[in-house]
Amino acid sequence: MHDYVNWFRHSTPYINTHRDCTFVVLLPGEALEHANFNNIIHDIMLLNSLGVRLVLVHGSRPQIEERLNARGVASRYHNDLRVTDLDTLGCVMDAVGSLRIAIEARLCTAPSGQRSRLRVVSGNFVTAKPIGVLDGVDFHHTGEVRRIDRKAISQHLDQQSIVLLSSIGYSPTGEVFNLACEDVATSAAAALDADKLILLGPQTGIFDSEGRLQRELKPSRAGTLLQQLGNSLPGSLLRAACKACEAGVRRSHIVSFADDGAVLTELFTRDGGGTMVSQEAFEQIRPAGIDDVAGLLELLRPLEEAGILVRRSRELLETEITQFTLIERDGMIIGCAALYPLEDSSAGELACVAIDPDYRHGQRGDQLLQHIEQQARELGLNTLFVLTTRTAHWFRERGFEPSSVERLPAKRASLYNFQRNSKVFEKAL
């Protein structure tokens, strides 16, 4: 009894700290099959009763494999990604639907003495896009997260509901895509500006090659461990934790789904019980200088090679460097955008918007856009133009309207590259 009272007293600061915080919890398919899952459900209910805003993301890999085997459908992978053809998609939908219903049923079972049930909400909160064809392999209905409906999820969390997300996403055209549950979890945590991402795995946490539990990690120091873990479930969880922290989530926690009370131990004790991955050094948005040219070239080169951005030589960048705004993280340039006031007009052109692929889930593009718009207003500009070939949807979703070459100021219109055939958009400031 004394130990219990002592623990309860020492947990009080954590109870107060976590109240009204948003936690995203990843439950891989392996966790759902484990005998300890009932205890995990009880711990989730307890967190909800303590005022924690919860988003649950569940996986389904072993359940999908089970259905594929039962139907005699062979699993196909490329680069460790499942190829989801129509036959496989049927198994994915069957597995995910069954698991979602089972989890909702568990969460709706009121503990003894509790009169009201939890509200669990699921729906089409995840917009997805196809991976497409890689190395000549068509991934069909395997996709990746395009957008998380932050507003809708937040509204349900405000009503004390638990939001349940599956490893399924939908396109605006009504297609269904099979997603990696880690992608859904990290994207949701970043979009919701979550306080924590909690990842349940088969082990207590992350262990090094000598079997020592790593209680705290920084993403920059996880490289060797990621190589050792490969594509195992612990490796996938560590990659997700690092990605989430790099996207702006302050702390990610990897704990065991097999140990009773592992989540509570990690959250409500000083030393925790698993592995915590925390953010790196701080980042800032700042004007570019001549010393940044080399870093800019490195950031822009892959996008130029893919034809997304127009090629810029070192000489041109040196000449135009004062037009650029950068996101710098721990001395590394991870994002940029340029503003070019257009002669003989009150308009400007937004150009060269780029974010390092490893940092694209932290709304940094939005931060850059807001910064550039404010800069344009301070210069007295009232219209912002952008020319793009591959990212029209991103600008449309941020208030840019379709325009035309004829709408561009005369001097800029005379420089339009008809061979590139960029689409023109504009936004009133």
Side-chain angles (χ1 to χ4, degrees):
M1 177 62 72
H2 177 74
D3 290 340
Y4 168 76
V5 172
N6 189 51
W7 177 87
F8 199 73
R9 286 171 176 165
H10 283 87
S11 68
T12 303
Y14 299 100
I15 294 173
N16 293 328
T17 298
H18 297 330
R19 185 177 292 114
D20 296 324
C21 288
T22 300
F23 293 176
V24 176
V25 182
L26 174 61
L27 304 167
E30 292 83 352
L32 307 182
E33 292 187 333
H34 198 274
N36 190 49
F37 186 60
N38 279 334
N39 294 324
I40 295 173
I41 289 291
H42 287 305
D43 292 346
I44 288 170
M45 291 178 171
L46 175 58
L47 290 176
N48 176 263
S49 70
L50 293 175
V52 177
R53 296 153 57 90
L54 289 169
V55 176
L56 308 182
V57 180
H58 76 86
S60 55
R61 290 190 185 103
Q63 292 83 3
I64 292 171
E65 289 295 333
E66 182 180 306
R67 283 160 174 79
L68 288 171
N69 292 334
R71 299 182 189 182
V73 179
S75 295
R76 290 182 58 210
Y77 289 87
H78 181 71
N79 290 340
D80 298 305
L81 284 175
R82 186 190 298 279
V83 177
T84 310
D85 56 20
L86 281 176
D87 289 337
T88 304
L89 181 62
C91 294
V92 170
M93 295 170 67
D94 183 11
V96 170
S98 298
L99 288 171
R100 177 179 61 80
I101 293 170
I103 295 170
E104 288 179 351
R106 296 274 190 95
L107 289 170
C108 288
T109 303
S112 178
Q114 183 174 315
R115 295 183 179 181
S116 61
R117 297 187 305 170
L118 297 179
R119 287 193 299 270
V120 185
V121 178
S122 56
N124 59 339
F125 299 121
V126 181
T127 301
K129 60 183 178 181
I131 287 179
V133 179
L134 292 177
D135 303 325
V137 176
D138 188 348
F139 279 83
H140 299 283
H141 290 273
T142 299
E144 56 188 1
V145 176
R146 178 184 171 195
R147 185 172 62 249
I148 299 290
D149 192 343
R150 171 178 178 156
K151 182 178 180 180
I153 293 174
S154 297
Q155 288 174 344
H156 289 297
L157 294 176
D158 290 342
Q159 298 169 1
Q160 288 81 51
S161 298
I162 292 178
V163 175
L164 178 62
L165 304 180
S166 301
S167 53
I168 286 283
Y170 308 92
S171 74
T173 55
E175 294 176 283
V176 178
F177 291 101
N178 178 27
L179 310 175
C181 59
E182 295 87 355
D183 185 19
V184 177
T186 54
S187 298
L192 294 166
D193 195 21
D195 298 278
K196 291 182 184 293
L197 171 63
I198 301 171
L199 306 147
L200 276 71
Q203 301 173 336
T204 303
I206 300 300
F207 293 83
D208 64 15
S209 58
E210 297 181 4
R212 294 173 299 197
L213 176 65
Q214 303 299 292
R215 293 195 174 275
E216 293 188 25
L217 283 172
K218 300 285 186 183
S220 62
R221 302 187 65 182
T224 301
L225 288 168
L226 287 171
Q227 289 181 351
Q228 294 171 357
L229 295 169
N231 293 309
S232 63
L233 180 54
S236 297
L237 298 180
L238 180 56
R239 271 188 292 274
C242 293
K243 185 177 179 181
C245 287
E246 290 165 353
V249 180
R250 288 185 58 213
R251 292 179 175 179
S252 296
H253 302 262
I254 301 172
V255 298
S256 171
F257 58 67
D259 296 340
D260 187 12
V263 172
L264 301 182
T265 300
E266 181 70 9
L267 294 176
F268 296 101
T269 63
R270 184 184 64 183
D271 296 327
T275 297
M276 180 179 73
V277 182
S278 58
Q279 280 185 345
E280 297 284 1
F282 130 105
E283 64 185 48
Q284 61 176 330
I285 296 179
R286 62 170 179 83
I290 193 66
D291 294 333
D292 297 312
V293 171
L296 266 177
L297 285 169
E298 185 176 350
L299 173 67
L300 299 177
R301 188 179 299 114
L303 296 173
E304 293 173 351
E305 292 174 351
I308 297 173
L309 295 178
V310 176
R311 288 186 181 273
R312 287 172 169 80
S313 66
R314 176 182 287 272
E315 292 74 21
L316 181 61
L317 275 177
E318 289 176 351
T319 302
E320 300 181 344
I321 194 64
T322 56
Q323 312 300 131
F324 280 80
T325 297
L326 308 178
I327 301 180
E328 183 186 57
R329 184 183 183 88
D330 201 21
M332 182 177 71
I333 297 172
I334 64 169
C336 72
L339 174 63
Y340 297 89
L342 300 177
E343 293 183 18
D344 301 322
S345 74
S346 58
E349 180 181 354
L350 170 64
C352 208
V353 180
I355 303 293
D356 186 290
D358 292 332
Y359 297 89
R360 286 180 183 166
H361 292 289
Q363 297 183 317
R364 292 176 174 84
D366 293 285
Q367 294 170 16
L368 268 177
L369 178 59
Q370 292 171 9
H371 190 91
I372 292 291
E373 289 180 356
Q374 182 59 36
Q375 184 180 343
R377 292 187 187 98
E378 292 172 358
L379 292 172
L381 306 181
N382 56 33
T383 304
L384 203 57
F385 286 94
V386 65
L387 281 69
T388 181
T389 59
R390 300 279 294 277
T391 55
H393 68 282
W394 191 87
F395 291 102
R396 287 293 305 274
E397 292 165 0
R398 285 152 181 82
F400 284 81
E401 297 293 336
S403 186
S404 64
V405 178
E406 292 73 20
R407 288 275 300 167
L408 291 170
K411 189 166 184 178
R412 179 63 183 88
S414 68
L415 299 175
Y416 180 82
N417 186 340
F418 285 91
Q419 185 175 3
R420 185 169 171 80
N421 196 28
S422 299
K423 294 183 179 181
V424 181
F425 296 87
E426 67 176 282
K427 181 178 183 180
L429 298 176

